[in-house]
Amino acid sequence: MRVAHHAPERLQMDHVDSLVIGAGVVGLAVARALAQQGREVIVAEAAGAIGQGVSSRNSEVVHAGFYYAPGSLKARLCTRGKELLYALAASHGVPLRRCGKLVVATAPEQHAALERLAERAAANGVPVELLSAAEARAREPALHCTAALWSPSTGIVDSHALMLALQGDLERAGGQVALRTSVHRARFTAAGPARVCLQADGHELEITADRVVNAAGLHACVLARHFDGLAPAQVPTPRYAKGSYFTLAGRAPFSCLVYPAPVDAWLGVHLTLDLAGQARFGPDLEWLPPDTRPEQLDYRVDPARAAGFVEAVRRYWPALPDGALLPAYSGVRPKIHGPDESAPDFRIDGPAQHGVRGLVNLFGIESPGLTSALALGDEVAARLAD
């Protein structure tokens, strides 16, 4: 496995063309796109390895793109990102499987939700097929449902292998990942490059950068508050929602992913498979207190949450054995809305939005951020080129 190491001598430079903050899948994709334009790129990552935040704590699903409003960034970047991800996986040997997905209704009143998804799929150019209960059970005999939506282009990917591939492309284009390097503040002016204060292995240093991309995930909103020259009104209030996962003891009788009919932006407690065929369930949705800070996050999974999982899963898999769910892991979504609000679109805030030269803030990049990563990278690079 390739791991980038901190190189202090490189970081003593006075100036860099492009600084990307955060070495998750989106930050690496942005940095790769900028480097492939011929720019000098450094990725500052506070952790000791790439992808230690949101990118390592998700379902690793390649979404098809039918959940999102037509014309939205999520719809456009998810569908384009899916194509780019499948192509990169094929060319770079990233483990991936197009296993497909069934979105299931377990009561007639949920059929309208499936029909709305089919309409969105058509508007977004995503292939899907509405199935009767009998047709769905022909695919998955253990399934209980009253109707289903089949998505053949949904898949699963090894997210860490994907990030290593992005890192490799970045480095071959001359870029660098600087680990254990955090950004504390930055000052932006209309007249020249940004002045950025970093801390690397306990030592403070300052560099200038023509372009700065805030891809800090869970920390993006908090970090943006320390950007002198960016109006406070341009920074949304962060909210955090925890999602726990449970794994199945034994083999599941399913060959594809199974999702319940969705509610708003939460896709419900769904069944996913890893590349070895092991089933896991989740995430659930647990809104954290409004005053939660990223450094306070507790990723432990409460075994008592299993009861809610069992109830949700047995709606579409009644034969789930007693005691078969084991605590696995959790993730936290970097939301920019509250529990009583509709989920907003991705926010790619560049100079056209906030008026600050050379700065792009990425806010609210939750699902489908993994699927959209390569398209997000191209989008940010294009906006900074303009």
Side-chain angles (χ1 to χ4, degrees), residues 34-48:
L34 290 168
Q36 290 180 340
Q37 286 182 341
R39 303 191 185 282
E40 178 187 37
V41 182
I42 288 178
V43 183
E45 170 52 55

Side-chain angles (χ1 to χ4, degrees), residues 64-85:
F66 55 78
Y67 286 109
Y68 317 109
S72 67
L73 283 171
K74 286 184 178 179
R76 178 166 62 85
L77 298 178
C78 181
T79 53
R80 176 60 178 155
K82 173 186 64 177
E83 296 171 359
L84 294 172
L85 196 159

Side-chain angles (χ1 to χ4, degrees), residues 323-345:
L325 298 186
L326 306 174
Y329 62 96
S330 72
V332 174
R333 304 173 186 88
K335 292 186 176 291
I336 52 174
H337 71 288
D340 299 321
E341 301 169 317
S342 296
D345 203 357

Side-chain angles (χ1 to χ4, degrees), residues 25-27 29-30 77 81 85 162 166 368-378:
V25 65
V26 172
V30 170
L77 298 178
L85 196 159
L162 171 62
L166 296 175
L370 174 66
T371 306
S372 305
L374 287 161
L376 273 163
D378 289 346

Side-chain angles (χ1 to χ4, degrees), residues 237-307:
T237 300
R239 288 298 307 269
Y240 303 104
K242 182 177 179 179
S244 295
Y245 293 82
F246 282 74
T247 191
L248 180 70
R251 300 286 291 186
F254 297 98
S255 60
C256 72
L257 312 187
V258 180
Y259 280 51
V263 177
D264 189 33
W266 182 46
L267 305 186
V269 174
H270 48 262
L271 179 152
T272 63
L273 304 168
D274 64 21
L275 289 163
Q278 182 67 36
R280 55 194 173 197
F281 297 91
D284 59 357
L285 183 63
E286 178 187 358
W287 283 94
L288 302 180
D291 59 351
T292 300
R293 298 195 302 271
E295 61 271 18
Q296 297 174 320
L297 296 175
D298 182 354
Y299 289 103
R300 290 175 295 183
V301 176
D302 181 0
R305 300 187 75 84

Side-chain angles (χ1 to χ4, degrees), residues 4-384:
H5 296 280
H6 169 55
E9 68 279 5
R10 285 288 304 276
L11 288 178
Q12 298 301 324
M13 63 174 61
D14 295 326
H15 181 78
V16 64
D17 180 278
S18 301
L19 175 70
V20 178
I21 306 167
V25 65
V26 172
L28 291 169
V30 170
R32 171 184 180 266
L34 290 168
Q36 290 180 340
Q37 286 182 341
R39 303 191 185 282
E40 178 187 37
V41 182
I42 288 178
V43 183
E45 170 52 55
I50 64 173
Q52 297 302 293
V54 178
S55 299
S56 64
R57 295 177 171 274
N58 56 64
S59 300
E60 297 188 305
V61 171
V62 182
H63 287 286
F66 55 78
Y67 286 109
Y68 317 109
S72 67
L73 283 171
K74 286 184 178 179
R76 178 166 62 85
L77 298 178
C78 181
T79 53
R80 176 60 178 155
K82 173 186 64 177
E83 296 171 359
L84 294 172
L85 196 159
Y86 280 141
L88 184 139
S91 62
H92 289 60
V94 174
L96 181 148
R97 183 157 65 92
R98 297 195 202 204
C99 55
K101 172 169 68 179
L102 285 168
V103 184
V104 300
T106 55
E109 57 266 26
Q110 297 172 355
H111 292 185
L114 299 187
E115 291 166 1
R116 287 193 296 270
L117 288 182
E119 291 169 0
R120 283 195 169 184
N124 293 342
V126 177
V128 297
E129 181 183 359
L130 284 167
L131 303 180
S132 67
E135 290 169 329
R137 285 195 298 271
R139 288 183 177 273
E140 298 290 354
L143 185 67
H144 165 73
C145 68
T146 55
L149 184 77
W150 169 244
S151 167
S153 63
T154 298
I156 50 177
V157 65
D158 183 330
S159 60
H160 194 68
L162 171 62
M163 288 186 283
L164 288 174
L166 296 175
Q167 179 190 343
D169 281 355
L170 165 67
E171 292 175 347
R172 279 187 289 275
Q176 178 196 0
V177 177
L179 300 175
R180 298 181 296 278
T181 302
S182 58
V183 173
H184 284 194
R185 58 188 179 274
R187 185 167 68 254
F188 295 87
T189 67
R195 303 193 70 85
V196 184
C197 178
L198 307 100
Q199 188 171 77
D201 286 339
H203 301 285
E204 284 201 0
L205 59 146
E206 186 177 87
I207 65 170
T208 59
D210 293 323
R211 295 163 182 82
V212 176
V213 180
N214 174 8
L218 293 166
H219 301 266
C221 295
V222 176
L223 177 62
R225 292 174 182 165
H226 297 279
F227 288 170
D228 185 16
L230 178 68
Q234 297 293 335
V235 183
T237 300
R239 288 298 307 269
Y240 303 104
K242 182 177 179 179
S244 295
Y245 293 82
F246 282 74
T247 191
L248 180 70
R251 300 286 291 186
F254 297 98
S255 60
C256 72
L257 312 187
V258 180
Y259 280 51
V263 177
D264 189 33
W266 182 46
L267 305 186
V269 174
H270 48 262
L271 179 152
T272 63
L273 304 168
D274 64 21
L275 289 163
Q278 182 67 36
R280 55 194 173 197
F281 297 91
D284 59 357
L285 183 63
E286 178 187 358
W287 283 94
L288 302 180
D291 59 351
T292 300
R293 298 195 302 271
E295 61 271 18
Q296 297 174 320
L297 296 175
D298 182 354
Y299 289 103
R300 290 175 295 183
V301 176
D302 181 0
R305 300 187 75 84
F309 276 71
V310 170
E311 181 183 358
V313 172
R314 281 186 173 157
R315 292 184 187 125
Y316 56 83
W317 184 27
L320 171 68
D322 290 337
L325 298 186
L326 306 174
Y329 62 96
S330 72
V332 174
R333 304 173 186 88
K335 292 186 176 291
I336 52 174
H337 71 288
D340 299 321
E341 301 169 317
S342 296
D345 203 357
F346 288 154
R347 278 185 57 173
I348 305 175
D349 289 8
Q353 286 72 42
H354 50 56
V356 179
R357 175 182 179 272
L359 171 65
V360 171
N361 285 311
L362 298 176
F363 296 134
I365 310 298
E366 49 172 325
S367 182
L370 174 66
T371 306
S372 305
L374 287 161
L376 273 163
D378 289 346
E379 181 80 11
V380 171
R383 294 193 186 194
L384 287 174

